[in-house]
């Protein structure tokens, strides 16, 4: 076997292991129930959950609690299956949080609370104006 | 009815797009004919045609640029592009940014660079003109088709930047008045209002455009069976493209560092990855092309790398523009319905490249020579493999959304998401690859310049290894480094700097500086690695909130550090070795060097104009007088934070925030730069000025002149009363009375003045309250008792002004920036040498 062949095999092996380990490191989009199951199974892998803020009958956002030192807050989020869940975030509340149409929280369950490490928001007309 | 819309310029623009598209196709066809023609005479005829078409193409591209720019520059808001990307108050240099903020404009930018690069090729390389320009023409036709904006039956081809607002939007106003033109545009995304955003996209696109040149040469070489000859003219362009793209990437990183508040310069966002992936392959291609020139090996590898680098550029365009990343990235473009067209564009060149390779593969010469362990070919080959794997590692996770979309196409639902901690995930792999790159770039240079044997190698490497181990040991011990991978990276980078410096000195001593490009670039890369390692690996949040107090009783994790601090106005707060004081909100004023306290300015009806309440001075020079009308940028608010170190050092930082009605709080940091570190500060939350204030119930306070009393928590001195002749410029009659109470309010080390007014005019009582926004107080003068001399003040309070801020320290970040300059210097020297080499060869 020529050296170049051994080299080729090594490179392919590295490439395959890169793919495999990437798949092992990916997160997934799940609902709260699934995220809870994962956490209860002792896996602290981070999950993406997509949903909306809880609103009352007149459309106002409810359930946001800002810590008095303003450096953390919690809110109630409803996932796409309609399940409500308290989410805690260790960062200040984003200014336009009340107006967000959709939230993606990335994190996992700690006991009964979902601890978000990152929040992605989709605000109305964030990218494109649609009215004059 | 009189025509009020400026439809002419749009028609010219749109027509030019069509001409540009058609001439690109015609020049492709003619250049193709000129390449494959049967006789020299025929070939020359077609070549003449082709040039005429390409020149026409250039003229029409320039017309497109001029047309779109004048639409933006002249504020023709009847055009959708101007309306949605620009506004009247935008300075000219940001109008340039508007030009390419939208997808269509950025395609035009790409078209523009390609046109000029094509012209440069026509003039510099007659031998290769016909086949190379065939590829150029085809690429131009594809790009021009992206902005065609025509409907063929139900198929939309391209999105035109020249459509009118009324055609782009459904709004009731156009039914009543089809000629309605909005007063102002929606403006430029404030995050893009930054000088780096003016120059960074054109640089990136020049890099993209230049990346086409080596690809075109490679295709031409395979096509014309000139398997080896294409390398020589393509190499200098490959270095040029890599240098420019690299410069663009770094500018983008610097912009992110300066303007975005994630506290870094690289976030492994898919859009950032999309430029990094092809760049690594381009760097690899430079190396194999140089190897080929020296020793006729690595030809097939060069062909594969050059072809893949351009295809990866197309792939990254697809990623960022098709909307496929919509949920994964913060700054990809929105979908304009062009993904099918982009896919077609990419697949066309993939198929052409693969087909050409398959057909010609057997004919491509290979050298039989078995590569020895002590040859430069071997080491460079390993280096290039490392670069390719590095690129591959980023490519796979970045493509996850594409993979999901692809499976969805077959009805399989895939819910894979990118790794949650992107930075941690990519760093884990890229760190080890970087160690390999540093070692290989340090060692490879020795092989490159000499014929090497085992003994020679030991002799040559001994001194650099000893020196670099010494230096690294000092760094490791003095920074108490205990992470194995960091230790290895530092050692490998120091080794690369030392060994490349040794090579550099011997080059400078023995031959010409022209040959030093390689070693200088490698030193630059190693410096960048050290800078990245320290600035991110040892980046430290210094605004830690370590009180350990459990605020929410049901908080899931009370041990977690909170990385922000709350600063009430004027109230000092310890943060590590610093004492911080937040001093209020400031505005920037045109024509003055610093920022002006907002409470020293009066607002007018025009948000861009304010009136000075007192003289505006900086460094004892008066810039504006009291009462002057000044121009400001109302979207920016600067929050002054005073830092005071334990050693008495003082400085002020002005982190910026924009409270944007549609995007919320956009925070930009302010940075204090030291030689060894940066102190990086940004606001995370502020009192929202647009929010309605909630005032407390009024409390009455009685006081006499010269008395002291408490307003809320603030000591207040009631200095005097003053009788007024005018209120709001209106003279008062004999029976009317108006008085002003003068109060001084002390908050920590700051004094505020409040002057509430009490009026009796036409037997009516009027009260003009005094507001002190910083302190959140509103004071009225409610009653005056002339007999007892007791005045009654009414006090309402709301929340005091505050900010929540985050501060980080970034050690040795300057090494990263200096390293990039060194890298660029290396690229310039290498480019100069290769262009010169090629020119000499052409002339001989």
């Amino acid at each position: 076997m020529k050296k170049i062949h051994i080299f080729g095999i090594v490179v392919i092996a590295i490439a395959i292991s890169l793919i495999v380990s990437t798949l092992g490191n990916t997160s997934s989009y799940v609902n709260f129930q699934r995220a809870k199951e994962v956490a209860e199974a002792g896996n602290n892998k981070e999950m993406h959950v997509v949903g909306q803020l809880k609103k009352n009958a007149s459309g106002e956002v409810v359930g946001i609690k800002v810590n008095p030192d303003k450096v953390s807050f919690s809110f109630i989020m409803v996932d796409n299956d309609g399940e409500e869940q308290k989410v805690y975030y260790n960062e200040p509340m984003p200014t336009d949080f009340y107006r967000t149409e959709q939230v993606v929280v990335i994190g996992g369950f700690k006991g009964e609370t979902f601890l978000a490490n990152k929040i992605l928001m989709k605000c109305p007309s964030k990218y494109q104006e649609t009215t004059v | 009815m009189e025509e009020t819309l400026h439809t002419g310029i749009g028609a010219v623009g749109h027509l030019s797009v069509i001409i540009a598209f058609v001439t690109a196709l015609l020049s492709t066809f003619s250049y193709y004919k000129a390449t494959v023609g049967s006789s020299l005479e025929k070939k020359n005829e077609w070549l003449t045609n082709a040039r005429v078409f390409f020149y026409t193409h250039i003229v029409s591209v320039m017309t497109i640029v001029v047309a779109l720019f004048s639409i933006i520059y002249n504020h023709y808001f009847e055009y959708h592009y101007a309306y949605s990307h620009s506004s009247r108050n935008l300075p000219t240099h940001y109008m340039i940014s508007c030009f390419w903020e939208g997808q269509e404009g950025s395609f035009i930018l790409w078209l523009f660079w390609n046109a000029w690069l094509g012209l440069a090729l026509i003039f510099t390389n007659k031998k290769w003109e016909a086949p190379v320009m065939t590829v150029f023409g085809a690429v131009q036709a594809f790009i021009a088709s992206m902005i065609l904006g025509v409907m063929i039956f139900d198929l939309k081809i391209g999105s035109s930047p020249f459509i009118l607002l009324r055609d782009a939007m459904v709004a009731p106003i156009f039914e009543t008045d089809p000629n309605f033109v909005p007063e102002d545009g929606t403006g430029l995304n404030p995050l893009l209002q930054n000088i780096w955003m003016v120059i960074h996209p054109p640089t990136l696109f020049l890099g993209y455009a230049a990346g086409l040149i080596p690809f075109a040469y490679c295709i031409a070489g395979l096509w014309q069976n000139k398997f080896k000859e294409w390398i020589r003219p393509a190499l200098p362009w490959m270095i040029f493209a890599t240098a420019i793209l690299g410069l663009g990437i770094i500018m983008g990183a610097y912009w992110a560092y300066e303007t975005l508040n994630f506290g870094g310069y690289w976030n492994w966002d898919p859009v950032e990855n999309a430029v990094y992936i092809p760049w690594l392959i381009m760097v690899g291609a430079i190396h194999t092309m140089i190897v080929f020139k020296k020793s006729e090996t690595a030809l097939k590898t060069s062909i594969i790398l050059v072809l893949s680098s351009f295809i990866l550029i197309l792939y990254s365009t697809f990623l960022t523009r098709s909307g496929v990343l919509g949920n994964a990235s913060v700054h990809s473009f929105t979908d304009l319905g062009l993904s099918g067209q982009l896919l077609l564009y990419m697949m066309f060149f993939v198929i052409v490249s693969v087909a050409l390779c398959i057909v010609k593969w057997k004919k491509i010469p290979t050298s039989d020579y078995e590569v020895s362990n002590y040859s430069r070919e071997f080491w460079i080959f390993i280096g290039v493999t490392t670069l390719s794997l590095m690129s591959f590692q980023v490519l796979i996770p970045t493509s996850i959304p594409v993979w999901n979309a692809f499976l969805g196409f077959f009805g399989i639902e895939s819910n894979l998401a990118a790794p949650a901690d992107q930075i941690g995930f990519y760093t884990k792999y890229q760190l080890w690859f970087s160690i390999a790159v540093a070692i290989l770039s340090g060692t490879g240079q020795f092989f490159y310049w000499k014929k090497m044997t085992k003994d020679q190698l030991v002799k040559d490497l001994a001194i650099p290894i000893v020196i670099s181990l010494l230096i690294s040991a000092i760094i490791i011990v003095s920074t108490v480094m205990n992470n194995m991978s960091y230790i290895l990276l530092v050692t490998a980078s120091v080794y690369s700097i030392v060994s490349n410096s040794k090579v550099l000195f011997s080059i400078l001593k023995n031959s010409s500086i022209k040959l030093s490009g390689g070693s200088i670039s490698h030193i630059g890369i190693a410096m960048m690695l050290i800078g990245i390692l320290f600035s991110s690996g040892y980046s430290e949040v210094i605004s830690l909130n370590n009180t350990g107090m459990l605020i929410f009783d049901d908080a899931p994790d009370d041990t977690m550090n909170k990385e922000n601090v709350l600063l009430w106005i004027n109230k000092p707060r310890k943060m590590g070795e610093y004492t911080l004081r937040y001093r209020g909100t400031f505005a920037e004023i045109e024509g003055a060097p610093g920022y002006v306290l907002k409470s020293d300015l009066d607002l007018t009806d025009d948000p861009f104009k304010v009136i000075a309440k007192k003289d505006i001075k900086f460094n004892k020079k008066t810039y504006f007088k009291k009462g002057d009308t000044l121009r400001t940028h109302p979207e920016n608010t600067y929050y002054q934070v005073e830092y005071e170190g334990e050693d008495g050092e003082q400085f002020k930082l002005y982190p910026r925030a924009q409270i944007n009605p549609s995007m919320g709080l956009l925070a930009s940091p302010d940075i204090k730069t030291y030689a060894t570190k940066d102190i990086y500060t940004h606001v995370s939350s502020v009192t929202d000025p647009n929010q309605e204030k909630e005032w407390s119930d009024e409390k009455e306070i009685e006081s006499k002149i010269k008395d002291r009393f408490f307003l809320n928590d603030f000591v207040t001195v009631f200095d005097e009363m003053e009788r007024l002749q005018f209120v709001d410029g209106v003279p008062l009659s004999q029976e009317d009375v108006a008085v002003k109470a003068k109060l001084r309010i002390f908050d920590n080390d700051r004094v505020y003045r409040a002057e509430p007014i009490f009026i009796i005019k036409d037997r009516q009582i009027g009260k003009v309250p005094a507001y002190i926004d910083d302190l959140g107080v509103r004071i009225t003068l409610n009653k005056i008792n002339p007999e007892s001399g007791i005045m009654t003040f009414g006090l309402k309070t709301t929340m005091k002004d505050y900010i929540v801020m985050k501060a980080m320290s970034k050690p040795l970040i300057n090494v990263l920036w200096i390293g990039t300059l060194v890298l660029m210097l290396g690229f310039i020297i290498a480019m100069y040498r290769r262009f010169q080499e090629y020119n000499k060869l052409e002339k001989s």
Side-chain angles (χ1 to χ4, degrees), chain B residues 542-554:
Chain B
I542 50 179
S543 54
L544 276 186
N545 193 355
N546 280 330
T547 50
M549 228 161 50
L550 197 59
I551 313 278
F552 285 147
D553 32 354
D554 56 346

PDB file of all heavy atoms in Angstrom, chain B residues 542-554:
ATOM      1  N   ILE B 542     -16.436  41.129  33.772  1.00  0.00           N
ATOM      2  CA  ILE B 542     -16.029  41.772  35.021  1.00  0.00           C
ATOM      3  C   ILE B 542     -17.222  42.393  35.740  1.00  0.00           C
ATOM      4  O   ILE B 542     -17.094  42.873  36.849  1.00  0.00           O
ATOM      5  CB  ILE B 542     -14.906  42.806  34.807  1.00  0.00           C
ATOM      6  CG1 ILE B 542     -15.251  43.765  33.693  1.00  0.00           C
ATOM      7  CG2 ILE B 542     -13.598  42.122  34.527  1.00  0.00           C
ATOM      8  CD1 ILE B 542     -14.198  44.817  33.446  1.00  0.00           C
ATOM      9  N   SER B 543     -18.398  42.354  35.090  1.00  0.00           N
ATOM     10  CA  SER B 543     -19.573  42.913  35.752  1.00  0.00           C
ATOM     11  C   SER B 543     -20.362  41.813  36.449  1.00  0.00           C
ATOM     12  O   SER B 543     -21.576  41.764  36.370  1.00  0.00           O
ATOM     13  CB  SER B 543     -20.456  43.629  34.730  1.00  0.00           C
ATOM     14  OG  SER B 543     -20.766  42.764  33.671  1.00  0.00           O
ATOM     15  N   LEU B 544     -19.653  40.896  37.095  1.00  0.00           N
ATOM     16  CA  LEU B 544     -20.348  39.787  37.747  1.00  0.00           C
ATOM     17  C   LEU B 544     -21.108  40.273  38.969  1.00  0.00           C
ATOM     18  O   LEU B 544     -20.621  41.089  39.742  1.00  0.00           O
ATOM     19  CB  LEU B 544     -19.350  38.724  38.174  1.00  0.00           C
ATOM     20  CG  LEU B 544     -18.950  37.729  37.102  1.00  0.00           C
ATOM     21  CD1 LEU B 544     -18.072  36.669  37.710  1.00  0.00           C
ATOM     22  CD2 LEU B 544     -20.162  37.094  36.446  1.00  0.00           C
ATOM     23  N   ASN B 545     -22.268  39.697  39.128  1.00  0.00           N
ATOM     24  CA  ASN B 545     -23.133  40.071  40.223  1.00  0.00           C
ATOM     25  C   ASN B 545     -23.079  38.922  41.216  1.00  0.00           C
ATOM     26  O   ASN B 545     -23.837  37.983  41.142  1.00  0.00           O
ATOM     27  CB  ASN B 545     -24.541  40.236  39.647  1.00  0.00           C
ATOM     28  CG  ASN B 545     -25.442  40.918  40.592  1.00  0.00           C
ATOM     29  OD1 ASN B 545     -25.072  41.196  41.719  1.00  0.00           O
ATOM     30  ND2 ASN B 545     -26.648  41.193  40.129  1.00  0.00           N
ATOM     31  N   ASN B 546     -22.119  38.985  42.116  1.00  0.00           N
ATOM     32  CA  ASN B 546     -21.856  37.822  42.960  1.00  0.00           C
ATOM     33  C   ASN B 546     -22.526  37.866  44.317  1.00  0.00           C
ATOM     34  O   ASN B 546     -22.054  37.250  45.253  1.00  0.00           O
ATOM     35  CB  ASN B 546     -20.348  37.678  43.176  1.00  0.00           C
ATOM     36  CG  ASN B 546     -19.708  37.020  41.990  1.00  0.00           C
ATOM     37  OD1 ASN B 546     -20.330  36.219  41.309  1.00  0.00           O
ATOM     38  ND2 ASN B 546     -18.473  37.373  41.713  1.00  0.00           N
ATOM     39  N   THR B 547     -23.606  38.601  44.427  1.00  0.00           N
ATOM     40  CA  THR B 547     -24.220  38.721  45.747  1.00  0.00           C
ATOM     41  C   THR B 547     -24.726  37.388  46.260  1.00  0.00           C
ATOM     42  O   THR B 547     -24.835  37.190  47.460  1.00  0.00           O
ATOM     43  CB  THR B 547     -25.387  39.718  45.702  1.00  0.00           C
ATOM     44  OG1 THR B 547     -26.208  39.353  44.607  1.00  0.00           O
ATOM     45  CG2 THR B 547     -24.890  41.117  45.542  1.00  0.00           C
ATOM     46  N   GLY B 548     -25.026  36.459  45.316  1.00  0.00           N
ATOM     47  CA  GLY B 548     -25.490  35.143  45.734  1.00  0.00           C
ATOM     48  C   GLY B 548     -26.885  35.190  46.332  1.00  0.00           C
ATOM     49  O   GLY B 548     -27.385  34.216  46.878  1.00  0.00           O
ATOM     50  N   MET B 549     -27.504  36.358  46.237  1.00  0.00           N
ATOM     51  CA  MET B 549     -28.829  36.500  46.808  1.00  0.00           C
ATOM     52  C   MET B 549     -29.843  35.773  45.937  1.00  0.00           C
ATOM     53  O   MET B 549     -29.801  35.838  44.719  1.00  0.00           O
ATOM     54  CB  MET B 549     -29.201  37.975  46.862  1.00  0.00           C
ATOM     55  CG  MET B 549     -29.745  38.375  48.198  1.00  0.00           C
ATOM     56  SD  MET B 549     -29.650  40.137  48.409  1.00  0.00           S
ATOM     57  CE  MET B 549     -30.377  40.771  46.928  1.00  0.00           C
ATOM     58  N   LEU B 550     -30.731  35.064  46.569  1.00  0.00           N
ATOM     59  CA  LEU B 550     -31.767  34.365  45.827  1.00  0.00           C
ATOM     60  C   LEU B 550     -32.928  35.335  45.649  1.00  0.00           C
ATOM     61  O   LEU B 550     -33.579  35.704  46.607  1.00  0.00           O
ATOM     62  CB  LEU B 550     -32.193  33.136  46.622  1.00  0.00           C
ATOM     63  CG  LEU B 550     -32.948  32.084  45.839  1.00  0.00           C
ATOM     64  CD1 LEU B 550     -32.114  31.586  44.677  1.00  0.00           C
ATOM     65  CD2 LEU B 550     -33.304  30.933  46.755  1.00  0.00           C
ATOM     66  N   ILE B 551     -33.172  35.763  44.434  1.00  0.00           N
ATOM     67  CA  ILE B 551     -34.167  36.793  44.236  1.00  0.00           C
ATOM     68  C   ILE B 551     -35.536  36.179  43.990  1.00  0.00           C
ATOM     69  O   ILE B 551     -36.505  36.512  44.643  1.00  0.00           O
ATOM     70  CB  ILE B 551     -33.781  37.705  43.066  1.00  0.00           C
ATOM     71  CG1 ILE B 551     -32.329  38.133  43.183  1.00  0.00           C
ATOM     72  CG2 ILE B 551     -34.736  38.870  42.984  1.00  0.00           C
ATOM     73  CD1 ILE B 551     -32.068  39.271  44.092  1.00  0.00           C
ATOM     74  N   PHE B 552     -35.582  35.256  43.059  1.00  0.00           N
ATOM     75  CA  PHE B 552     -36.830  34.527  42.847  1.00  0.00           C
ATOM     76  C   PHE B 552     -36.754  33.276  43.706  1.00  0.00           C
ATOM     77  O   PHE B 552     -35.791  32.540  43.637  1.00  0.00           O
ATOM     78  CB  PHE B 552     -36.937  34.076  41.381  1.00  0.00           C
ATOM     79  CG  PHE B 552     -37.273  35.187  40.442  1.00  0.00           C
ATOM     80  CD1 PHE B 552     -36.778  35.191  39.146  1.00  0.00           C
ATOM     81  CD2 PHE B 552     -38.092  36.217  40.828  1.00  0.00           C
ATOM     82  CE1 PHE B 552     -37.095  36.199  38.268  1.00  0.00           C
ATOM     83  CE2 PHE B 552     -38.417  37.222  39.952  1.00  0.00           C
ATOM     84  CZ  PHE B 552     -37.915  37.212  38.673  1.00  0.00           C
ATOM     85  N   ASP B 553     -37.764  33.024  44.490  1.00  0.00           N
ATOM     86  CA  ASP B 553     -37.662  31.832  45.338  1.00  0.00           C
ATOM     87  C   ASP B 553     -37.736  30.555  44.513  1.00  0.00           C
ATOM     88  O   ASP B 553     -37.305  29.506  44.947  1.00  0.00           O
ATOM     89  CB  ASP B 553     -38.711  31.839  46.466  1.00  0.00           C
ATOM     90  CG  ASP B 553     -39.975  32.538  46.045  1.00  0.00           C
ATOM     91  OD1 ASP B 553     -39.976  33.106  44.937  1.00  0.00           O
ATOM     92  OD2 ASP B 553     -40.957  32.520  46.797  1.00  0.00           O
ATOM     93  N   ASP B 554     -38.287  30.658  43.296  1.00  0.00           N
ATOM     94  CA  ASP B 554     -38.341  29.436  42.501  1.00  0.00           C
ATOM     95  C   ASP B 554     -37.311  29.438  41.367  1.00  0.00           C
ATOM     96  O   ASP B 554     -37.418  28.686  40.420  1.00  0.00           O
ATOM     97  CB  ASP B 554     -39.747  29.248  41.927  1.00  0.00           C
ATOM     98  CG  ASP B 554     -40.184  30.464  41.117  1.00  0.00           C
ATOM     99  OD1 ASP B 554     -39.524  31.508  41.229  1.00  0.00           O
ATOM    100  OD2 ASP B 554     -41.176  30.346  40.389  1.00  0.00           O
TER     101      ASP B 554
END
